[in-house]
Amino acid sequence: MLHVQPLLTSRTNIRAVNVSAIAAVINMMPAQKVCSATMNKNRTLGQALEDFLPHGCAGPISEWFGQNHVILRISRSRRSKLGDFRNRGAVVPPVISINHDLNPYSFLVTMLHEMAHAEIFLKYKKRLLPHGSEWKAAYRRISLPFLTIENLDEKFIQVFGHYLNNPAASSMANQPLATLLKSFDESKDVTLITEIPEYSHFSLPDGRVFIKGPKLRKRFRCECLNNKRIYLFSPMAEINPLGDLSGNP
């Protein structure tokens, strides 16, 4: 573990940041990267977060971490989630982790989501509904000031502002917001499950093959041909299309 004043980091070297008014701590992985990281001792948390967030957003978030005893971990890419909040007990501070490869607007929305979880935990110190009224109120209160930051994308301000009227457990559950956030990704050749016809076959990177079924409310009911189980897919799920191999019209 490397102790620095107040923070050193780079996009590839950071693993965890615990920011207080006095000092910050970075857990470096692997150990051989510590030497290269020490060359960035003059970077503050705000400067480091500028690599991940829309312009103008890093400062307020850095201030929030300076006021709250919470660890920030910039995580590897995880297919199952964009970020999370974890309480690690009475002795160790709680942890917010955010995937490192999110586009700036997805990173911001995910960060604000998890900051709201942290505030609720720090305030109540007891189990509440994860995305109940207290969390929704905290999410709105934390997020609304960011909509006044200059040079933010106008469409984002409109869509995210509307979403904050009743935020969901996942930003991906709100299709207008999920679609907009997806549009900020660096261009790459991907296919969404919404773009293929019903009964088409598709695969995932792990090799499993599915048949796309009907949409049930917000998600698509799909059968996995490898184990005959049924899975529900978000409309924003990225898939590898294989065409219609079922003989259905």
Side-chain angles (χ1 to χ4, degrees):
M1 182 175 288
L2 179 67
H3 295 264
V4 295
Q5 288 278 353
L7 175 67
L8 63 92
T9 183
S10 70
R11 190 179 185 94
T12 56
N13 291 330
I14 186 169
R15 278 297 182 270
V17 183
N18 178 15
V19 182
S20 68
I22 301 174
V25 177
I26 299 180
N27 297 328
M28 310 299 294
M29 291 180 61
Q32 59 265 32
K33 290 189 176 181
V34 171
C35 292
S36 62
T38 58
M39 294 186 293
N40 298 317
K41 284 185 177 180
N42 294 326
R43 297 194 81 191
T44 65
L45 176 61
Q47 290 170 336
L49 286 174
E50 287 175 357
D51 293 343
F52 301 92
L53 290 161
H55 180 71
C57 296
I61 288 179
S62 175
E63 291 178 8
W64 184 92
F65 277 96
Q67 297 165 1
N68 294 277
H69 196 45
V70 178
I71 292 173
L72 170 61
R73 174 171 290 118
I74 308 301
S75 172
R76 69 187 187 283
S77 178
R78 295 166 291 186
R79 289 184 58 83
S80 60
K81 54 189 171 183
L82 306 181
D84 64 12
F85 169 79
R86 294 187 180 184
N87 167 30
R88 305 200 299 177
V91 177
V92 181
V95 177
I96 288 174
S97 70
I98 311 291
N99 291 5
H100 76 93
D101 57 349
L102 302 183
N103 70 58
Y105 285 95
S106 291
F107 196 97
L108 174 62
V109 170
T110 305
M111 176 72 82
L112 296 173
H113 179 117
E114 305 306 342
M115 286 164 58
H117 280 304
E119 283 207 2
I120 293 304
F121 170 77
L122 294 172
K123 179 178 180 180
Y124 293 100
K125 299 291 185 182
K126 61 181 180 180
R127 184 176 295 276
L128 298 173
L129 289 175
H131 301 98
S133 58
E134 297 88 355
W135 173 81
K136 291 183 179 184
Y139 195 4
R140 281 192 293 270
R141 178 177 50 77
I142 294 171
S143 300
L144 286 175
F146 285 84
L147 299 184
T148 65
I149 292 177
E150 293 185 3
N151 300 319
L152 277 190
D153 181 86
E154 290 293 335
K155 185 66 173 178
F156 172 79
I157 293 174
Q158 176 187 350
V159 174
F160 187 50
H162 185 267
Y163 167 78
L164 289 174
N165 290 326
N166 187 25
S170 169
S171 60
M172 294 295 102
N174 181 280
Q175 191 157 355
L177 179 60
T179 301
L180 178 64
L181 293 177
K182 196 72 178 175
S183 72
F184 294 114
D185 285 346
E186 295 181 2
S187 58
K188 54 183 180 179
D189 186 17
V190 298
T191 301
L192 303 182
I193 194 171
T194 53
E195 299 173 2
I196 63 173
E198 194 170 322
Y199 301 116
S200 292
H201 288 63
F202 65 91
S203 65
L204 297 181
D206 61 10
R208 288 181 296 168
V209 177
F210 295 81
I211 299 177
K212 178 185 175 181
K215 190 174 185 180
L216 306 178
R217 296 188 64 190
K218 297 181 178 180
R219 296 176 181 266
F220 291 97
R221 182 183 186 275
C222 302
E223 180 184 359
C224 177
L225 299 184
N226 302 81
N227 56 23
K228 302 302 181 182
R229 293 182 179 178
I230 300 299
Y231 296 83
L232 298 180
F233 280 77
S234 162
M236 303 307 296
E238 297 178 3
I239 54 92
N240 176 37
L242 300 176
D244 185 355
L245 308 178
S246 64
N248 288 290

